[in-house]
Amino acid sequence: MHRTLLRALPFVLATALAGPALATDVAMGDGAVHFTVPDGWTLIMQSSGDDESQVFQVPGSSNADATLARVSVTMKKANNLIAFQQFSGDMRNRATSLKEYAAGKPKAPTENVYTAKEGTVKLDYYERYFFTNGYAVQLRCVRPTGDAKFAAAFDKGCAAVAASMPN
């Protein structure tokens, strides 16, 4: 009996110390930028270098939503505010070249809101820009339009990521 308890002890301790997992901590820029994403979001792409990115697929209410709904974080070294403004300006200009781009109404100057098409699917885009720890950071949330229940859950997750970004 004592041997069984001793063998199980490491597993029990590890499980107890882990606690409930509600969000996943993500580090980028050699640990300079940390943020969290909701559990259940799957990392589907990651790049490193001068421009570093991570893209997460967000589970949806339908197969179409699940394959199209995604959140990306892209960052680039920015030594000053001018470099940050150049980065955000370049990213905003890229958005205008998307098929059927239509600007929305952002709530803040660090946001970009618009719709565009990917193939035949109309998508809602929300971008937010951060200047932190020597990096320009873009948070980009993309989801299909039209499913209010899914949109509410998706937007809540996107807002949680934005709230976890260092300012």
Side-chain angles (χ1 to χ4, degrees), residues 2-160:
H2 288 289
R3 276 191 211 151
T4 304
L5 284 174
L6 288 174
R7 276 186 265 177
L9 188 59
F11 174 76
V12 170
L13 283 174
T15 304
L17 292 174
L22 301 174
T24 302
D25 184 53
V26 179
M28 294 176 69
D30 293 325
V33 176
H34 284 263
F35 57 93
T36 58
V37 298
D39 277 352
W41 289 16
T42 305
L43 180 64
I44 57 172
M45 189 193 89
Q46 184 174 14
S47 67
S48 59
D50 190 34
D51 287 357
E52 188 174 338
S53 297
Q54 291 199 21
V55 181
F56 301 88
Q57 182 178 8
V58 180
S61 61
S62 71
N63 288 339
D65 289 344
T67 58
L68 296 171
R70 62 195 177 275
V71 172
S72 64
V73 177
T74 302
M75 54 189 272
K76 183 175 185 165
K77 195 84 168 140
N79 296 325
N80 54 44
L81 192 54
I82 293 171
F84 166 73
Q85 291 169 333
Q86 181 69 45
F87 171 82
S88 61
D90 289 348
M91 297 303 260
R92 289 171 194 254
N93 285 338
R94 285 185 196 173
T96 62
S97 68
L98 295 173
K99 183 179 171 186
E100 295 187 31
Y101 169 87
K105 294 185 181 180
K107 295 177 184 173
T110 58
E111 294 180 351
N112 190 22
V113 178
Y114 57 97
T115 59
K117 271 190 154 178
E118 225 174 71
T120 60
V121 180
K122 188 174 181 180
L123 300 171
D124 289 326
Y125 292 79
Y126 167 81
E127 297 172 350
R128 184 149 171 215
Y129 296 90
F130 304 87
F131 182 48
T132 183
N133 295 330
Y135 285 93
V137 180
Q138 178 201 53
L139 168 65
R140 185 181 200 212
C141 304
V142 182
R143 64 170 167 75
T145 61
D147 183 340
K149 184 179 177 183
F150 172 69
F154 179 90
D155 293 350
K156 183 178 177 183
C158 186

